Amino acid sequence: MSSRDGGENGLGQGDIRKPLLNTGSWYRLSSWRSSSMGMGSSAQVIREGAVSVIFCVLVVALGPIQFGFTAGYSSPTQTDIVADLNLSVSEFSLFGSLANVGAMVGAIACGQIAEYMGRKGSLMIAAIPNIIGWIFISFARDTAFLYMGRLIEGFGVGIISYTVPVYIAEISPQNMRGSLGAVNQLSVTIGILLAYLLGLFVNWRILAVLGALPCTILIPGLFFIPESPRWLAKMGMTDEFESSLQVLRGFDVDISSEVNDIKKAVASSSKRTTITFAALKRKRYWFPLMIGIRLLILQQLTGINGVLFYSTTIFESAGISSSNLATVGLGAIQVIATGVATWLMDKAGRRLLLIVSSLGMALSLILVSVSFFLEVVISEDSKVYTLLGILSLVGLVALVISYSLGVGAIPWLIMSEILPVSIKGLAGSIATFVNWLMSWAITMSANFLLDWSTGGTFTIYTVVTAFMVVFVSLWVPETKGRTLEEIQSSFR
C-alpha cells in the first residue's frame, strides 16, 4: 500500500518534465488487480517485487551486452579487416579507438539526456545510433564508412555506460543493489564473449550485423519496464513516482517509508532541476565526484581494455598457436568470474572486493611482465620459452579473473551509489567522459606500446594497479547495506 499523504512534500511542481517513454497506467491497473486478488503470503509479495526488479534489470542489460560486443569486436576481426580493407596497424588502431571517441561525445551528453528525457528515454536514444553504427561497419568498403560507423556506435555506448548502472541503482532495493548492479558488468563480459565466440564462425561483416541485435531488442523492451522512481520524484511527478516504486517492490508491499525517504532526499538536495559547475565546489558534491572519477580513471589505466581489445595479438606474442581459441576461453573465464562477483557483491562488500581484485591484478601483471621480459632473451626452441608462454597465459587469465571480481563492476556501481540525485546529470557526464577519455588513450596506445615492449607495457600497468590498491584502502567508502539516501547524506 503506497503512501499518498504529503505527496507534494519536497517535490517542486513548477518545472515538471514528462519522461520520453510514459510510465504507463498499466501499473495502477496491475496494482488494483493484485489488491482484488489478495496475495497469499509475504514470501509471495517479496518474490513478486524481486521478479519485477530482476525483469527490469534483464531488459536494460541488453545495453551493456552491446557495450561488451563493441569492446570485443576488434580482437577476432583485426586480421580480416586489415586484409579486406588494406589497413595499416595505425589505421586499425584508430578504428579500435574511435568507439571511445564516440563514447566521449556520448558521455558529454549522457547526463543531461538522462536528466531531461529520463533513464528509459536516454536508453532509447542510445539504441538508435548503436544500430546505425553497426550497419555502417557491416557495409563499409573503405575507412570512411568503417570509421563513421565505429564513431556513431560509440556515441550510443557512451550513453549506455552511464545510464544503465544509474537506472539499476535507482530501482534496486538496498539488499539487492550490489548484486543487481554487478549485472551491468556481467552483461558487458557476456557481450565480449559473444563477439569472441561468434567471431570464430562468421566474417567481420556478419558479426557487425549481429552486433546490432541487442539494441534492436532493447527498444521494444523499454516499453515494458517502469521509469526510475527517484528520477520521477526529482521531476515532481508524484503519482508516477509512487506507481513506479510500487510495481518494483510488489503490489502489496508498504512502500510508505521508502517513499518518504526519497522525498526527503530530493527535497534536501536541491530545489532546482539543474546544477552548475560552481555548485560542484561544495564538499558534499566534489568529494564523492572525485572518488568516482579516480576509480574510473584507475580502472582504465590498469590497461584492461588494451588486453581485451588486442588479446589475440598478445597471445600470439606469447607463442600461443591457437590464439583465437585462447581469446574465447579468456572471455568465458571473464563471464564466470564476473558471475561470482555478482553473487559476492552484497556479501563481501564493495570495498573489500575492490582491494582483493586490484591486488590480484597487480600480482598477475607482475607475472605477465616478467614472462614477456624473459621471452626476449631466451631462444624460441628452448623448453623454458614454452614454459614462459604458459606462465604469461596463466598471468593473463589471473588478470582477467581478478579484474572481474571487483575492478570491472564496482567503480561504475559506486559512482551510481555515491552521487546525489541532484548532481547526477552533470557529475555523471564528467565522470563518464573522463573514463572514456582514459579508455581511448589506453586503446589507442596499446598496439604501439606492445610493439615497443610487451614486458614494459605490462610493467606500466602493474605500477598503476598497485597505486589503486592504496587508493581504495585509504579513500573508498563501503556502501553495502545502506540506502542511496544514507550513502549520499554521509558526504554532507
Side-chain angles (χ1 to χ4, degrees):
M1 167 177 172
S2 66
S3 172
R4 303 280 178 194
D5 50 313
E8 307 302 320
N9 182 26
L11 299 177
Q13 297 292 327
D15 188 23
I16 296 176
R17 299 181 178 85
K18 294 292 182 184
L20 179 62
L21 300 180
N22 193 9
T23 306
S25 60
W26 67 273
Y27 296 122
R28 283 185 284 276
L29 177 63
S30 298
S31 181
W32 176 82
R33 285 176 178 170
S34 176
S35 298
S36 64
M37 291 170 63
M39 303 297 286
S41 66
S42 60
Q44 188 175 0
V45 171
I46 294 171
R47 188 163 57 250
E48 178 191 277
V51 167
S52 179
V53 171
I54 291 170
F55 173 74
C56 295
V57 170
L58 290 178
V59 170
V60 298
L62 290 165
I65 288 175
Q66 168 75 80
F67 177 176
F69 206 94
T70 300
Y73 182 78
S74 298
S75 186
T77 59
Q78 178 170 357
T79 302
D80 290 341
I81 292 178
V82 167
D84 288 356
L85 301 182
N86 196 26
L87 303 183
S88 65
V89 172
S90 60
E91 286 175 326
F92 187 81
S93 294
L94 178 59
F95 167 71
S97 66
L98 278 176
N100 298 294
V101 176
M104 281 188 275
V105 179
I108 294 172
C110 69
Q112 292 306 305
I113 292 174
E115 288 301 296
Y116 284 84
M117 309 299 286
R119 313 317 190 203
K120 287 169 57 182
S122 64
L123 287 176
M124 175 71 80
I125 291 171
I128 296 170
N130 267 293
I131 295 169
I132 295 172
W134 282 116
I135 293 173
F136 272 38
I137 292 172
S138 178
F139 288 96
R141 298 295 174 185
D142 53 29
T143 55
F145 255 62
L146 191 72
Y147 291 168
M148 183 60 69
R150 189 74 165 172
L151 194 65
I152 294 172
E153 191 247 330
F155 174 80
V157 169
I159 298 174
I160 286 170
S161 66
Y162 164 76
T163 308
V164 171
V166 168
Y167 177 81
I168 293 175
E170 290 181 346
I171 69 169
S172 301
Q174 69 179 67
N175 64 317
M176 298 173 65
R177 195 177 61 243
S179 295
L180 292 178
V183 170
N184 178 61
Q185 182 62 23
L186 178 62
S187 302
V188 172
T189 63
I190 291 172
I192 293 172
L193 176 60
L194 286 174
Y196 288 167
L197 186 61
L198 293 173
L200 293 177
F201 304 103
V202 299
N203 66 44
W204 63 275
R205 295 185 187 278
I206 296 176
L207 191 63
V209 173
L210 295 175
L213 289 179
C215 280
T216 304
I217 301 170
L218 173 64
I219 291 174
L222 290 171
F223 288 94
F224 295 94
I225 63 175
E227 181 56 86
S228 160
R230 285 176 169 84
W231 181 81
L232 292 169
K234 184 190 174 187
M235 292 298 105
M237 302 166 68
T238 309
D239 288 343
E240 290 87 348
F241 148 54
E242 294 191 26
S243 295
S244 174
L245 189 63
Q246 191 75 71
V247 76
L248 289 166
R249 298 295 178 259
F251 294 121
D252 280 9
V253 173
D254 185 354
I255 60 169
S256 57
S257 177
E258 189 171 2
V259 165
N260 289 331
D261 287 344
I262 294 174
K263 284 180 179 178
K264 289 176 184 176
V266 169
S268 63
S269 61
S270 179
K271 299 275 185 193
R272 299 173 295 172
T273 58
T274 58
I275 292 288
T276 63
F277 279 97
L280 295 180
K281 295 179 181 179
R282 298 165 64 183
K283 183 180 178 182
R284 62 182 290 193
Y285 294 149
W286 70 255
F287 188 65
L289 178 59
M290 286 303 102
I291 291 175
I293 287 178
R294 288 169 184 169
L295 275 178
L296 291 172
I297 289 174
L298 289 170
Q299 179 197 54
Q300 293 301 328
L301 292 182
T302 60
I304 192 66
N305 270 346
V307 173
L308 296 176
F309 272 52
Y310 304 110
S311 55
T312 301
T313 303
I314 294 170
F315 285 134
E316 288 173 354
S317 301
I320 306 299
S321 56
S322 302
S323 54
N324 283 328
L325 285 175
T327 299
V328 172
L330 191 68
I333 290 169
Q334 188 179 17
V335 171
I336 294 169
T338 307
V340 172
T342 302
W343 176 69
L344 287 173
M345 201 66 66
D346 284 314
K347 294 178 172 62
R350 285 57 144 170
R351 188 169 176 273
L352 177 60
L353 279 178
L354 261 182
I355 293 172
V356 172
S357 174
S358 51
L359 182 61
M361 288 183 71
L363 295 175
S364 303
L365 285 165
I366 291 173
L367 177 60
V368 175
S369 302
V370 171
S371 298
F372 278 118
F373 274 128
L374 291 177
E375 280 185 358
V376 176
V377 297
I378 292 176
S379 171
E380 293 186 14
D381 298 326
S382 170
K383 290 183 179 180
V384 176
Y385 185 87
T386 304
L387 177 62
L388 290 173
I390 295 172
L391 286 177
S392 60
L393 177 60
V394 170
L396 286 172
V397 170
L399 171 67
V400 169
I401 291 174
S402 299
Y403 170 81
S404 302
L405 286 176
V407 175
I410 295 176
W412 288 107
L413 175 60
I414 286 183
M415 183 202 71
S416 66
E417 290 179 322
I418 66 178
L419 293 181
V421 68
S422 57
I423 68 163
K424 265 185 181 169
L426 179 59
S429 287
I430 295 171
T432 307
F433 173 80
V434 171
N435 178 265
W436 282 109
L437 178 63
M438 292 297 103
S439 178
W440 171 81
I442 293 298
T443 306
M444 190 64 188
S445 64
N447 251 349
F448 299 107
L449 286 172
L450 290 169
D451 285 343
W452 160 66
S453 170
T454 308
T457 301
F458 283 102
T459 300
I460 295 171
Y461 297 157
T462 302
V463 173
V464 174
T465 308
F467 176 75
M468 188 174 190
V469 178
V470 177
F471 175 77
V472 173
S473 301
L474 295 177
W475 295 105
V476 177
E478 180 57 73
T479 59
K480 182 188 78 167
R482 302 163 70 188
T483 66
L484 294 181
E485 289 70 35
E486 290 171 344
I487 295 167
Q488 293 154 17
S489 65
S490 67
F491 292 105
R492 292 175 185 169

